[in-house]
Amino acid sequence: MVGENLIKKGLITPEQLQEVLQIKQQNPTRKLLDILYDKNYISKDNFLRELAQELKVKYISSLDNISLTKIKVPVTILKQVRAIPIDIKLDRVLIASENPLDWNAKSYFQRFFPDAKLEFVLAHKEDIDKVLKLLENKEQINKLKHEIKRELRGEEVPGEESAVIRLIKFIIKSSIDQHASDIHIEPTQKGAIIRIRIYGTLYEKWDLDEDVYNAVASRIKLEAGMDVSEKRKPQDGGFSMELDKNHFDFRVSSLPTVWGESIVIRILDKRNIVKSINTIGISPQNLEYLRAALKKPNGIFLVTGPTGSGKTTTLYASLHEVAGIDKKVITVEDPVEYKLDGIQQVQVNPKAGLTFAGALRSILRQDPDIIMIGEIRDIETLEIAIKAALTGHLVLSTLHTNDAISAVSRMIDMGAEPYMVAAALVGVEAQRLVKKNCPYCLAPYKPSDAYLEPIKHLIKKDTVFYKGRGCEKCNMTGYIGRTLISEIFLVDEKLESLIAKNKDKTELGEYLKSKGYKNMFYDGLRKALNKETSLEEIYRVAKL
Ligand SMILES: [Zn+2]
């Protein structure tokens, strides 16, 4: 009896077996192990080991590292038999299958590999699905590449648009579907590889032969309004495209490298512009602080964090919160990423002599109530920002610092007088982006001890953490979208005097802690306990 055995091995409890047997009574065709796995009572590895033992076959615990290039069997057939040849040799072919005893699959594969001995191993259906999807994608892109080669030879290829355009659209659409922010087309000795950035991490997705890469690169440059024949100088450009009735803008840049032009396409997804500060993911307590800071009539409020931490989104959402018909808002940005209604946006242009500092001086003559400075990079900009803050303007800007408290010393290190910083600063927020758990495949899991040990004094002993297991909706990653974790402090009288006295970071931190200040790790932990993200994500971006 499978169930009894599992109890004996300590994999499940008698109560769990009882529950699962009841489910099986209503669905007699379902396998006990399948139900146990779906209820998350056993891990994928245990599922595979137990089932393999029952079927007397070997199993493979992951298909992540198999090479897709050698698989020549049409995907339609693989989809039918739910199996994938993973190691193909002349006399022997290893096949990973959801059902390794399926005779039907055997006869199919024997036709493809007539001289080989077939060996079937068990694989999990989720892993099979993942590979099938990748293969389908590859088949489609290969067809397009083939058509481009025919076009390059001057042959007529059917289709409303040229194959080059269809391939570019395929790459862009596929990248957007996977929630990518950038597409990197990077030349190599033999052609090019295409990597896409998803939630901050680069993934290699496709490769192109040299002739196809040249055709694609030229076409993108043409669409982006760049000089196609100029290949030795970096260029910038952009284009727009309708995909599935959504409008997308793309910013394109090219950079000459030894193997050719590296092309990066940034996807400016208007659907991603956050309109309201309620929806950017900031936790309720920190939102309250942020709102209080934005209500101040004057002073500097800073959003800090590394590149790609969502600072711009928070700034735009903040502007949206404070802008109104009775307020004049001017921004100076480099570059203007999104055009907003009712706000005067100025693009910095150093070539034309319009620097951050220069633009700011002109802006002050335009009688604004609120000024947003894309980033404070130099003392000149900082001094004007402080002056503006002390003369009745609310100034919002960003700084590159690791945490909120460091913003104070950063400004002083840049050359600002401590008493000026103290007088001007109203508050600082620091933030990071974390991936959000996919709601469609969310399941409880046990983080490793390395993650649990440091926080055991902060959580209850039987605390359960959640993360996505990977499904069609989240491209098997377990995550969909991102949210932010943050820390924020406002400058009160006491803190103002500490800053004016040029007290160091530790002392400022101690004062804030005495008033209940919590760093962003705590904010993140709260979100992990709320099932919004995984514990790993918090450790990835924040320190306890
Ligand atoms: Zn999912």
Side-chain angles (χ1 to χ4, degrees), residues 438 440-441 468-474 478-480:
C438 169
Y440 301 99
C441 58
R469 203 186 242 177
C471 68
E472 190 81 359
K473 289 249 169 50
C474 59
Y479 297 103
I480 290 186

Side-chain angles (χ1 to χ4, degrees), residues 88-117:
I88 303 164
K89 297 206 174 71
L90 266 183
D91 57 340
R92 199 189 66 99
V93 175
L94 188 64
I95 295 161
S97 170
E98 198 176 308
N99 182 4
L101 303 182
D102 179 9
W103 283 99
N104 206 4
K106 263 182 197 164
S107 64
Y108 265 123
F109 281 113
Q110 203 73 68
R111 256 175 275 161
F112 274 94
F113 309 106
D115 304 321
K117 187 178 178 299

Side-chain angles (χ1 to χ4, degrees), residues 222-240:
L222 184 71
E223 295 286 329
M226 293 152 70
D227 180 352
V228 178
S229 61
E230 175 59 78
K231 291 180 177 172
R232 290 161 308 173
K233 285 185 190 150
Q235 295 187 64
D236 297 307
F239 62 93
S240 306

